[in-house]
Amino acid sequence: MSADPRPGQSSLQRRSAARTAVVWHALRDVLETRYADRPAAVVDIGGGTGGLAVRVAELGHQVVVVDPSPDALAILARRADESGVADRVSGRQGDLGTLSDLVPDGGTDVVLCHGVLEIVEDPAAALAALAAALRPGGTLSLLVNQRHAAVVTRAMAGHFTAARSLLESGSVGPATGPAAGGATNRRFTADEITAVLDDAGFDPEAMHAVRVFVDLVPSSLVDLEPGAAQALVELERAVATRPEYLALATQIHTLATRRGASG
Ligand SMILES: C[S@@+](CC[C@H](N)C(=O)[O-])C[C@H]1O[C@@H](n2cnc3c(N)ncnc32)[C@H](O)[C@@H]1O
């Protein structure tokens, strides 16, 4: 996961930074304000090749990445090594179904679940497993794809039947990849996320609209003049906390607290 766009970056890197800035800033604020005096114990479920895990470890925190893909975990190990944080990042092969065998119940301060709830068979069971891993008062950082923007995108591309189907079913067809099983590839609304989190014992603290503009703006405009990429990031951050933009966002990022105790 990239930080803000920097001079000298390629067009691709600047766009990637603009895509991830809102989530990174929100997460870094949580880690810096709540874990200023000790490292947080962080679990990144479905953390893949560790782009986010390594950045979190670079802040001094201890991160366990749980992922079913051995290839992703191999890349994670190399990336952690190259970044000098191999002692703070460990990869464990597994999934949401085996999470309780891999990390102790109630022993985690922060769980990251980014891009995973869409592809699991049972999102409610997945959130229950994440709640069990977290200590009461611990934080869940949940990033999911948002439905309404995806409906608009499909319609704008002329895929009207697919747009209608997504609108009504909340799914864009079978998920792909070795770990996907028969799971669907869901898109969530903000109300659905709020409801499933509540059912699983979480209190949402903040919801962010992510990638409201960056997926729509042509690269030529982002690259047009110095400072355009940074201005785009600032615009994304300005709308991120405005609820009226949630339905326009490619993704929704939620920070939620596990109920049960102060923390
Ligand atoms: C879309 S990628 C997201 C990767 C990373 N979290 C990110 O945001 O860039 C989904 C990841 O979830 C993993 N995954 C698939 N099924 C899973 C499951 N049941 N439990 C945990 N992780 C799973 C995949 O191997 C993959 O690394």
Side-chain angles (χ1 to χ4, degrees):
M1 175 172 279
S2 323
D4 287 352
R6 290 187 304 275
Q9 284 182 321
S10 69
S11 172
L12 209 62
Q13 286 170 323
R14 277 199 295 274
R15 188 169 284 269
S16 167
R19 285 200 170 104
T20 56
V22 164
V23 175
W24 175 246
H25 281 276
L27 186 58
R28 196 182 56 187
D29 279 356
V30 166
L31 292 166
E32 285 180 352
T33 53
R34 297 183 197 171
Y35 301 96
D37 53 349
R38 68 170 176 90
V42 179
V43 169
D44 189 355
I45 182 78
T49 58
L52 179 56
V54 165
R55 288 195 64 80
V56 169
E58 284 173 337
L59 298 178
H61 305 289
Q62 212 56 54
V63 190
V64 174
V65 174
V66 175
D67 200 285
S69 164
D71 292 344
L73 293 175
I75 296 170
L76 162 76
R78 195 175 66 228
R79 184 178 253 177
D81 200 32
E82 286 169 359
S83 303
V85 293
D87 57 333
R88 293 200 290 278
V89 176
S90 69
R92 299 186 192 162
Q93 193 178 354
D95 59 22
L96 276 154
T98 57
L99 187 61
S100 61
D101 301 329
L102 300 170
V103 298
D105 277 3
T108 303
D109 296 310
V110 178
V111 166
L112 315 175
C113 180
H114 292 187
V116 179
L117 212 60
E118 295 89 335
I119 55 176
V120 296
E121 277 182 46
D122 184 347
L127 289 172
L130 300 182
L134 273 171
R135 67 171 172 80
T139 302
L140 170 66
S141 169
L142 180 70
L143 183 66
V144 297
N145 288 327
Q146 195 277 126
R147 186 180 308 159
H148 300 305
V151 171
V152 172
T153 306
R154 277 161 184 74
M156 298 288 286
H159 304 308
F160 306 122
T161 308
R164 176 84 188 271
S165 160
L166 173 58
L167 175 72
E168 287 168 0
S169 73
S171 163
V172 290
T176 54
T184 55
N185 198 349
R186 289 179 204 82
R187 299 289 185 270
F188 293 89
T189 66
D191 287 348
E192 286 167 355
I193 287 300
T194 304
V196 286
L197 283 171
D198 184 45
D199 288 348
F202 289 98
D203 289 326
E205 300 168 37
M207 215 172 233
H208 304 117
V210 177
R211 292 163 53 183
V212 174
F213 306 108
V214 69
D215 296 332
L216 304 174
V217 181
S219 294
S220 55
L221 294 183
V222 181
D223 297 334
L224 196 58
E225 56 186 60
Q230 186 58 40
L232 175 58
V233 165
E234 281 160 21
L235 179 63
E236 290 279 356
R237 292 187 67 197
V239 298
T241 52
R242 295 183 180 232
E244 62 271 30
Y245 282 84
L246 286 170
L248 302 177
T250 301
Q251 295 171 304
I252 295 176
H253 177 238
T254 309
L255 291 168
T257 305
R258 187 196 154 188
R259 283 196 286 270
S262 60

